[in-house]
Amino acid sequence: MRMRKKKNLEEKLAACSNLLIKMTDDRNYMNAADNPEYLDFEELFSNNAPVHLEVGCGKGQFVYEIAKANPDINFLAVEKSANVIVTACEKCRNVPNVRFLKCGAEYLPKYIKDGSISRIYLNFSCPFPKKAYVSHRLTAPNFLSIYKKIMTVDAQIDQKTDNRGFFEYSIESFSENGFTLKNIALDLHSSDFEDNIVTEYEQRFSSLGFPIYRLEAYIKK
């Protein structure tokens, strides 16, 4: 069901303009990389600290918590829904090392230079279970090729999901597209993994008894 548009959405977005650095409604994503508008991270954050990227930040609970815990890292959070990203912006209003970009993941090459992201987070992405929508999954080959380009040589991708089918697909997709996997957890909350930051979705699904799946993927040197 489509989320109802927030009251005074435009005014709320305008009030977050210091955090919401780009908003694109461009539909021509096939040529996005041909017309770059690269972000200058050093200018944006007023430092040259590493930049981590969350793709699909939702209402911002994860990026809010991880940015507060890691003030020496800059975080760029991407979300394509204005209705959702405004909540994340409001939540992070007093967190200096977070910025937001409103666009789909297919537009990342337009805004992010190659080799500039030290870590990518994919938290509870839509699994798109129907085969007709496989290419929309954020671990599909078309998206993995984008991540490869923008990642630094020692970067990694952290993925969490409650959907076992999507997780199995992701393992296969990462493996077939040049990534090496580590720290695979089939039940994260029963594992010995430390420093896990619980997202809104994670809290909901785990409270219902669903296992949380997690992995880390990197390009072997």
Short mmCIF file of all heavy atoms in Angstrom, two decimals, residues 16 19 57-65 68 84-95 98 100 199-200:
data_model
loop_
_atom_site.label_atom_id
_atom_site.label_comp_id
_atom_site.label_asym_id
_atom_site.label_seq_id
_atom_site.Cartn_x
_atom_site.Cartn_y
_atom_site.Cartn_z
N CYS A 16 15.25 20.69 6.11
CA CYS A 16 16.36 19.75 6.23
C CYS A 16 17.40 19.97 5.14
O CYS A 16 18.24 19.10 4.88
CB CYS A 16 15.85 18.32 6.15
SG CYS A 16 14.75 17.82 7.48
N LEU A 19 21.05 19.01 5.41
CA LEU A 19 21.40 17.59 5.42
C LEU A 19 21.07 16.90 4.11
O LEU A 19 21.79 16.00 3.68
CB LEU A 19 20.63 16.86 6.55
CG LEU A 19 20.95 17.23 7.99
CD1 LEU A 19 20.10 16.39 8.94
CD2 LEU A 19 22.42 17.02 8.28
N CYS A 57 18.03 3.84 3.36
CA CYS A 57 18.18 4.10 4.79
C CYS A 57 16.86 4.09 5.55
O CYS A 57 16.86 4.14 6.78
CB CYS A 57 18.90 5.42 5.01
SG CYS A 57 17.94 6.89 4.53
N GLY A 58 15.73 4.06 4.84
CA GLY A 58 14.45 4.08 5.53
C GLY A 58 14.30 5.32 6.40
O GLY A 58 14.67 6.42 6.00
N LYS A 59 13.80 5.13 7.61
CA LYS A 59 13.54 6.26 8.50
C LYS A 59 14.77 6.67 9.29
O LYS A 59 14.69 7.52 10.18
CB LYS A 59 12.39 5.91 9.44
CG LYS A 59 11.07 5.73 8.70
CD LYS A 59 9.93 5.38 9.65
CE LYS A 59 8.62 5.20 8.90
NZ LYS A 59 7.50 4.84 9.81
N GLY A 60 15.92 6.05 9.01
CA GLY A 60 17.18 6.57 9.51
C GLY A 60 17.68 6.05 10.84
O GLY A 60 18.69 6.55 11.35
N GLN A 61 17.05 5.04 11.41
CA GLN A 61 17.49 4.56 12.72
C GLN A 61 18.92 4.03 12.69
O GLN A 61 19.74 4.35 13.57
CB GLN A 61 16.55 3.45 13.23
CG GLN A 61 16.89 2.92 14.61
CD GLN A 61 16.77 3.98 15.70
OE1 GLN A 61 15.94 4.90 15.59
NE2 GLN A 61 17.56 3.87 16.75
N PHE A 62 19.26 3.25 11.65
CA PHE A 62 20.60 2.67 11.57
C PHE A 62 21.66 3.75 11.42
O PHE A 62 22.65 3.78 12.16
CB PHE A 62 20.68 1.69 10.40
CG PHE A 62 22.06 1.11 10.19
CD1 PHE A 62 22.49 0.04 10.93
CD2 PHE A 62 22.92 1.66 9.23
CE1 PHE A 62 23.77 -0.49 10.75
CE2 PHE A 62 24.18 1.15 9.03
CZ PHE A 62 24.61 0.06 9.80
N VAL A 63 21.49 4.65 10.45
CA VAL A 63 22.53 5.66 10.20
C VAL A 63 22.64 6.61 11.39
O VAL A 63 23.74 7.09 11.72
CB VAL A 63 22.27 6.41 8.88
CG1 VAL A 63 21.12 7.40 8.99
CG2 VAL A 63 23.54 7.10 8.40
N TYR A 64 21.55 6.87 12.06
CA TYR A 64 21.58 7.71 13.25
C TYR A 64 22.46 7.09 14.33
O TYR A 64 23.34 7.75 14.90
CB TYR A 64 20.16 7.91 13.77
CG TYR A 64 20.05 8.62 15.10
CD1 TYR A 64 20.24 10.00 15.19
CD2 TYR A 64 19.76 7.92 16.27
CE1 TYR A 64 20.13 10.65 16.41
CE2 TYR A 64 19.66 8.56 17.49
CZ TYR A 64 19.85 9.93 17.56
OH TYR A 64 19.76 10.57 18.77
N GLU A 65 22.25 5.80 14.59
CA GLU A 65 23.00 5.12 15.65
C GLU A 65 24.46 4.92 15.28
O GLU A 65 25.36 5.15 16.09
CB GLU A 65 22.34 3.77 15.96
CG GLU A 65 20.94 3.86 16.53
CD GLU A 65 20.90 4.41 17.95
OE1 GLU A 65 21.97 4.56 18.57
OE2 GLU A 65 19.79 4.72 18.44
N LYS A 68 26.48 8.27 15.29
CA LYS A 68 26.78 8.74 16.64
C LYS A 68 27.90 7.93 17.27
O LYS A 68 28.74 8.47 18.00
CB LYS A 68 25.52 8.65 17.52
CG LYS A 68 24.48 9.70 17.25
CD LYS A 68 23.53 9.85 18.44
CE LYS A 68 22.92 8.51 18.85
NZ LYS A 68 22.08 8.65 20.06
N VAL A 84 9.81 9.23 3.21
CA VAL A 84 10.57 8.47 4.21
C VAL A 84 11.85 9.22 4.60
O VAL A 84 12.18 9.32 5.78
CB VAL A 84 10.92 7.07 3.66
CG1 VAL A 84 11.79 6.31 4.65
CG2 VAL A 84 9.65 6.27 3.37
N ILE A 85 12.55 9.74 3.61
CA ILE A 85 13.84 10.37 3.89
C ILE A 85 13.69 11.60 4.78
O ILE A 85 14.61 11.92 5.55
CB ILE A 85 14.58 10.72 2.59
CG1 ILE A 85 16.09 10.85 2.84
CG2 ILE A 85 14.04 12.00 1.95
CD1 ILE A 85 16.90 10.96 1.57
N VAL A 86 12.55 12.27 4.73
CA VAL A 86 12.37 13.45 5.57
C VAL A 86 12.39 13.07 7.05
O VAL A 86 12.93 13.80 7.89
CB VAL A 86 11.08 14.20 5.20
CG1 VAL A 86 9.84 13.41 5.59
CG2 VAL A 86 11.05 15.58 5.85
N THR A 87 11.86 11.90 7.38
CA THR A 87 11.89 11.42 8.77
C THR A 87 13.32 11.14 9.20
O THR A 87 13.73 11.47 10.32
CB THR A 87 11.03 10.15 8.92
OG1 THR A 87 9.68 10.45 8.56
CG2 THR A 87 11.06 9.63 10.35
N ALA A 88 14.10 10.53 8.30
CA ALA A 88 15.50 10.24 8.60
C ALA A 88 16.29 11.54 8.80
O ALA A 88 17.11 11.64 9.73
CB ALA A 88 16.11 9.42 7.47
N CYS A 89 16.04 12.52 7.96
CA CYS A 89 16.72 13.80 8.09
C CYS A 89 16.41 14.47 9.43
O CYS A 89 17.30 14.99 10.11
CB CYS A 89 16.33 14.73 6.95
SG CYS A 89 16.99 14.30 5.34
N GLU A 90 15.14 14.45 9.79
CA GLU A 90 14.74 15.06 11.06
C GLU A 90 15.38 14.35 12.25
O GLU A 90 15.78 14.99 13.23
CB GLU A 90 13.21 15.06 11.17
CG GLU A 90 12.53 16.01 10.19
CD GLU A 90 11.03 15.88 10.18
OE1 GLU A 90 10.51 14.82 10.60
OE2 GLU A 90 10.37 16.83 9.73
N LYS A 91 15.50 13.04 12.13
CA LYS A 91 16.11 12.26 13.22
C LYS A 91 17.58 12.61 13.39
O LYS A 91 18.11 12.63 14.50
CB LYS A 91 15.95 10.77 12.93
CG LYS A 91 16.45 9.85 14.02
CD LYS A 91 16.07 8.41 13.72
CE LYS A 91 14.58 8.21 13.75
NZ LYS A 91 14.17 6.82 13.52
N CYS A 92 18.27 12.88 12.28
CA CYS A 92 19.71 13.11 12.30
C CYS A 92 20.09 14.59 12.31
O CYS A 92 21.23 14.93 12.02
CB CYS A 92 20.35 12.43 11.10
SG CYS A 92 20.21 10.62 11.10
N ARG A 93 19.16 15.42 12.63
CA ARG A 93 19.37 16.87 12.53
C ARG A 93 20.59 17.33 13.34
O ARG A 93 21.29 18.26 12.96
CB ARG A 93 18.11 17.59 13.00
CG ARG A 93 18.16 19.09 12.84
CD ARG A 93 16.78 19.68 13.02
NE ARG A 93 15.93 19.35 11.89
CZ ARG A 93 14.58 19.40 11.93
NH1 ARG A 93 13.98 19.73 13.04
NH2 ARG A 93 13.88 19.12 10.86
N ASN A 94 20.86 16.68 14.46
CA ASN A 94 21.98 17.09 15.32
C ASN A 94 23.16 16.13 15.26
O ASN A 94 23.98 16.10 16.17
CB ASN A 94 21.48 17.23 16.76
CG ASN A 94 20.45 18.33 16.91
OD1 ASN A 94 20.61 19.43 16.37
ND2 ASN A 94 19.37 18.04 17.62
N VAL A 95 23.23 15.36 14.18
CA VAL A 95 24.36 14.44 13.98
C VAL A 95 25.21 15.00 12.85
O VAL A 95 24.81 14.96 11.69
CB VAL A 95 23.86 13.01 13.64
CG1 VAL A 95 25.03 12.06 13.56
CG2 VAL A 95 22.85 12.52 14.67
N VAL A 98 26.47 13.06 9.10
CA VAL A 98 25.49 12.39 8.24
C VAL A 98 24.95 13.37 7.20
O VAL A 98 24.63 14.52 7.53
CB VAL A 98 24.30 11.82 9.05
CG1 VAL A 98 23.30 11.15 8.11
CG2 VAL A 98 24.77 10.83 10.09
N PHE A 100 22.29 13.21 3.45
CA PHE A 100 21.31 12.39 2.76
C PHE A 100 21.23 12.73 1.29
O PHE A 100 21.40 13.89 0.88
CB PHE A 100 19.92 12.55 3.40
CG PHE A 100 19.83 11.99 4.79
CD1 PHE A 100 20.13 12.79 5.89
CD2 PHE A 100 19.46 10.68 5.00
CE1 PHE A 100 20.06 12.29 7.18
CE2 PHE A 100 19.38 10.16 6.29
CZ PHE A 100 19.69 10.97 7.38
N THR A 199 18.05 -2.17 13.26
CA THR A 199 17.22 -1.26 12.49
C THR A 199 15.76 -1.40 12.89
O THR A 199 15.38 -2.31 13.64
CB THR A 199 17.35 -1.53 10.99
OG1 THR A 199 16.66 -2.75 10.67
CG2 THR A 199 18.81 -1.67 10.57
N GLU A 200 14.92 -0.50 12.36
CA GLU A 200 13.49 -0.57 12.66
C GLU A 200 12.91 -1.91 12.21
O GLU A 200 12.17 -2.56 12.96
CB GLU A 200 12.74 0.57 11.97
CG GLU A 200 13.17 1.97 12.37
CD GLU A 200 14.11 2.57 11.34
OE1 GLU A 200 14.94 1.83 10.76
OE2 GLU A 200 14.04 3.80 11.12
#
